[in-house]
Amino acid sequence: MAKLPKPEELFDSIDWTPPETDWMDTPVEFQPGRWCYPAKKKVVEDLGFPNPREWSPADEDWKIPSNWREIVLEGMKERLEKYRSFKLFMDICVRCGACADKCHYFLGSGDPKNMPVLRAELMRSIYKGEFTLPGKIFGRLAGARKLTEEVIKEWFYYYYQCSECRRCSVFCPYGIDTCEVTMMGRELLHLLGININWILEPVRNCVYIGNHLGLQPHTVKENIEYLCWDIEEVTGLKIQPSFNRKGAEILFVAPSGDYFADPGIYTFMGYLVLFEYLGLDYTLSTYASEGGNFGLFTSHEMMQKINAKIYHEAERLGVKFIIGGECGHMWRVKHQYMDTVNGPAPSNLEVPKSPITGTVFEHAKSTKMIHICEFTADLIAHGKLELDPSRNDKYVVTFHDSCNPSRGMGFFEEPRFILKHVCNNFYDMPENTIREKTFCCGSGSGLNTDEFMDMRMRGGLPRANAVEYVHKKHGVNMLACICAIDRAALSTLMQYWVPEVGVCGVHELVANALVFPDEKTGKKKRTLDLRQQPLKPEDEENV
Amino acid sequence: MGAVFALITVVAFVLVVYLGVGVAGLHFLFGVIIPYVAFFTFLIGMIYRVIEWARSPVPFRIVTTCGQQKSLSWVKRNPLESPYNNFEVALRMFLEVVFFRSLFRNLKAEIKGRNLIYGSYKWLWLFAILFHYSFFIILLRHFRFFAYPVPKVIDGLNQLDAFLHIGLPHFYITDALILAGLTFLFVRRLADPKLRYISLASDYLPLFMIYGLVISGILMRHFFKVDVVGVKELTMSLVHFSPKVPQGIGTIFFIHLFFISALMAYFPFSKLVHMLGVFLSPTRNLANNSRAKRHINPWNQPAKFKTYCEWQEIFYEQLVESGQPIDEDCPQVKERKKAEGAE
Amino acid sequence: MSLRELLTEKRDDILQEWYKAILDTYPKEAAAFLRRNRDRFENPVGQRILEGIEGLLDEILGDFDEKRIKYFTDRVLRVRAVQDFNPSVATGYILALKKAIREVIEDDLSPELWSEFLDLLDKIDEIALYGFDIYMACRERLYHLKVEEWKKRVFLLLKRANFIFDEREGSLPQQ
């Protein structure tokens, strides 16, 4: 037998290691599954954004205006003057690398430009090269470069591969927040007419119709009524929520995904069941029918515009305060932006005070808006809810801290407190993957579109991986969350990585556990959960 | 590439001083003019930077919350990670600036199998602390050259720093520590491919300049001894703005002086401004109380949006048909009514 | 000494070679991170690869249980199926084991062991074929999920229009 060939000889022909070039010399390759489709011409026109046209990132020519350089540089200058965060973050990074391995997209993809420091450096290099003296003199040695069309393409690719989750900013010794840089990057790209449809179309719908999905007022009402029939089948309750009712005490605003999508609708049913239980004097609005705000992923002006409807409607209806549903980025807007951009709150609003327990929500005394989990946690703490956690016994639950409530509000205990009261089996995921260190679902900031599937699955791997751990260790089969994007995106993510685990909102479980007086006396019996599945596994007696 | 450039620059610095002082005898230039220029560049440059930052407003309260918010009275909140008022913000900033809280965040060493995880983060924090504190103490020590009589505190610090009593004059502990810190920060940049990828010449240059500064300082104290009395004469004359360069101080001192001058002059134009920038970082220096207290954005404009009445006009039919209330107070409805009445 | 004993003795070396070959398919900056960080939560990619190849190698040296082999192959391929790889590169990591083994045992590979060695190569080829199935299943699942996501997004519309016979049907098949 002849001597076998050397292994190197066999494998030398295949070189898998990516080329070793400086990042400034590595152009972006637009591969499918890693970028989102551009916004439709009509949508861009309707919103009055610059440069509406048909184009694709896969094209060589992006058809940007001929004076694009001036536009971008002028835009940067303006933003450097308007945002201290932007200017400071451009100046003070020391590239210590503490953030480098904190980004879920980097962890999942290994693409070095997904390291937060480098993502910001894509912008910083232009800032240095175009706005600072040392950058102009020393060029690359100072990390500076000139603005070229390649840079614009790179920005598009990487600023739409950032979910604005702010995990990196937790670890940065100077608090540099890549989300701010991404926001600026996206605003600048908008000036050239570079944007993605998955964000702009919902924005357009919200501006013109009232919500991201473009549901007209009668559809919103019909959908909710349909959900009420389902509730009736499960609980026997006839619920008739009011719409656009003047004089109600509370305006309730939810993300529109909850009117329509599975499993968001079960969360919505949960809200309705809870309000019915309490006999709450509330109303829903078909005008301010969107709590979410894809404007946040577009520009600050758009975020303000979309958000403005909520105070406007609260004023018109003469309510006393506002409760907001379970939604992540919506709550970043409500907590950190709403009062600033559209405040002060209309004079008819009062400091939120729970009509059931009398608790005054001092921490929301200016915005006059509270999170439904704050409201419910307060009810439970005062013993106002009769709960039977064993109704959720078929679930072993864990909780996903959504990025925005976690790192933008510090919202950790309220949902956990609720979960621990409405189900018997609750296990947190490992410490480094929850609370302020929580991993993004991989689809945040308007990237939950199907053409972006590969990136989403990669970016969601760190999250799914932690879920898998508690699934294997504790048999967790339900992932609760307080975010509409999560409910949609995590469902898909779980189906890929850990198909045994389902996804739900916190209030779905609340409603399952809620014991109505008739149920307590035994007059009525609940055998189904809100999904119209048996409460107990089939071999067990339904009690 | 960046590291090589930085190295060449630093070597060039040494050569320039050697030629300038040792050969050409330009003592006044290197002993007086350059230090003054550098010092004022530093002072004015830093003030300018802070003013520049401060001129841009903070439109939004974008705190990065790393702990439980203040909400219901019975929920245990975390005042240090999610401050609610300015006092708590001050505490948070104190931890951040003095103890590098955020760098420390990952410090949770765990043994899994044979491996210690999170090791690298701990090291980064530790050596960053060593480096910065050593630098700070060394800086303070040097005030004995700029004050007469030397304040007790500085003297005490000096003795404390040299308490090991090794060599004569005694070797300073901080000299060793800062070298250790510098070496770690430098080696890390070369050894970790991630960091090598992101590192620029402007990341290596300050490291090398400080190397040069420290090494020239050590050499001058222990090996090529300089005329300390002469040095103090020079520094005091600089302080009193009556500069006078005594003879025979030794070139190594001028190299040392040149390095600190170069560092000072470089400071305001480089990433080193993080020293002051950290205090202004809006994700850290604001209270997480934006729902309780309205944050004002100076350039905020009222929102332009579709009002309810405009919207109601568009969806009038659908609203009526689906039995949703029509707001009679809307001027459009009044007009509509009027038009209907006229028919 | 049989080949199996030889391989068992050199198991750790082979694993290291193999892991290195796989990491070489990632950008250098990422590869170093994947190798160094041993935390399963902070570094899921690296740890899944390690788990997958360790398990595979043990199966090759042990029972060669089909179910477990598929499980361990799945651990790695599910990740690589969504990363920047062509199908050949994504699944090629299995074949890289051949190279790793030869690099480690080349000097000890006496002619008596050749027939056993050829058997071993066949086993690896068999796993590579499983790998191809798994890779395809992952990719198909992604496309399936795209459709499924759209259905979920407009779930109520479909339900109201009676386009869904039973909301539990038409959902994804068990894996």
Side-chain angles (χ1 to χ4, degrees), chain B residues 92 99 110 116 126 150 157 171 242 265 283 290 331 338:
Chain B
R92 186 183 200 196
F99 294 110
E110 251 183 88
L116 179 71
L126 184 69
V150 178
L157 187 71
F171 191 81
S242 52
T283 60
S290 33
K338 215 192 274 170

Side-chain angles (χ1 to χ4, degrees), chain A residues 5 34 108 223 456 458 468, chain C residues 75 82 84 102 149 160:
Chain A
R34 284 136 227 180
N223 275 356
R456 288 171 52 197
R458 285 183 213 178
E468 188 197 44
Chain C
R75 294 304 281 176
V82 290
D84 274 329
R102 291 189 46 195
E149 197 166 59
R160 280 179 54 188

Side-chain angles (χ1 to χ4, degrees), chain C residues 76-143:
Chain C
V76 181
L77 276 175
R78 195 163 291 270
V79 175
R80 289 174 74 85
V82 290
Q83 288 178 329
D84 274 329
F85 298 118
N86 298 328
S88 57
V89 182
T91 52
Y93 88 94
I94 300 169
L95 298 174
L97 174 60
K98 294 185 183 180
K99 183 190 174 191
I101 289 179
R102 291 189 46 195
E103 270 187 4
V104 172
I105 63 161
E106 200 170 19
D107 296 338
D108 307 310
L109 196 58
S110 54
E112 311 80 86
L113 295 179
W114 281 13
S115 82
E116 223 187 317
F117 185 65
L118 289 178
D119 278 351
L120 175 78
L121 297 185
D122 284 347
K123 278 184 177 174
I124 296 175
D125 289 342
E126 196 182 324
I127 298 175
L129 291 175
Y130 288 146
F132 191 67
D133 286 347
I134 291 170
Y135 177 86
M136 281 311 296
C138 288
R139 293 303 308 175
E140 273 175 27
R141 193 159 180 85
L142 287 175
Y143 288 101

Side-chain angles (χ1 to χ4, degrees), chain A residues 44 49-51 53 55 62 64-65 68 71-72 75-76 79 123 147-161 181-196 200 298:
Chain A
V44 179
F49 275 20
N51 199 14
R53 72 208 181 284
W55 69 287
W62 285 19
I64 50 178
W68 64 270
I71 298 176
V72 172
M76 260 181 101
R79 281 160 185 79
M123 178 74 73
L147 185 60
T148 63
E149 265 186 74
E150 284 308 309
V151 171
I152 297 293
K153 292 184 177 180
E154 198 177 33
W155 281 3
F156 174 75
Y157 196 68
Y158 288 104
Y159 291 132
Y160 286 97
Q161 277 185 18
V181 180
T182 296
M183 284 175 163
M184 295 302 138
R186 290 185 180 184
E187 285 195 14
L188 293 173
L189 290 170
H190 276 298
L191 299 177
L192 303 179
I194 298 171
N195 29 45
I196 69 170
L200 276 206
T298 308

Side-chain angles (χ1 to χ4, degrees), chain B residues 157-334:
Chain B
L157 187 71
N158 212 25
Q159 285 177 14
L160 197 68
D161 197 356
F163 90 106
L164 284 181
H165 288 228
I166 298 171
L168 208 76
H170 300 322
F171 191 81
Y172 288 123
I173 301 158
T174 45
D175 285 352
L177 293 181
I178 196 169
L179 282 178
L182 274 170
T183 307
F184 175 84
L185 294 177
F186 171 60
V187 169
R188 189 172 163 271
R189 284 205 183 270
L190 285 187
D192 185 335
K194 286 200 306 291
L195 279 155
R196 202 161 60 230
Y197 199 61
I198 56 176
S199 295
L200 305 166
S202 53
D203 294 318
Y204 293 108
L205 188 59
L207 283 177
F208 287 177
M209 285 207 277
I210 298 170
Y211 257 126
L213 183 65
V214 174
I215 292 172
S216 59
I218 294 175
L219 288 178
M220 159 166 80
R221 182 172 166 86
H222 298 283
F223 300 95
F224 311 111
K225 303 216 166 127
V226 292
D227 173 9
V228 181
V229 180
V231 169
K232 179 132 189 183
E233 211 177 305
L234 169 63
T235 52
M236 289 310 291
S237 77
L238 288 174
V239 172
H240 293 120
F241 292 103
S242 52
K244 190 173 108 229
V245 187
Q247 289 300 304
I249 293 185
T251 311
I252 185 77
F253 168 75
F254 288 95
I255 295 178
H256 190 64
L257 189 60
F258 189 75
F259 271 121
I260 187 69
S261 303
L263 193 67
M264 282 195 298
Y266 179 67
F267 218 99
F269 306 102
S270 67
K271 67 169 190 175
L272 301 176
V273 293
H274 69 264
M275 179 180 99
L276 291 183
V278 61
F279 292 95
L280 278 86
S281 183
T283 60
R284 295 285 189 274
N285 73 0
L286 291 170
N288 176 29
N289 59 0
S290 33
R291 270 194 289 162
K293 205 170 153 216
R294 182 162 184 245
H295 179 86
I296 304 293
N297 171 8
W299 48 262
N300 194 49
Q301 299 286 324
K304 290 194 200 78
F305 63 101
K306 188 175 284 169
T307 62
Y308 175 81
C309 292
E310 290 160 6
W311 177 85
Q312 180 175 267
E313 272 310 287
I314 299 171
F315 294 103
Y316 195 86
E317 309 296 325
Q318 286 99 320
L319 287 169
V320 172
E321 275 168 28
S322 62
Q324 294 178 46
I326 295 294
D327 192 336
E328 306 281 339
D329 298 338
C330 283
Q332 293 93 330
V333 176
K334 284 176 187 153

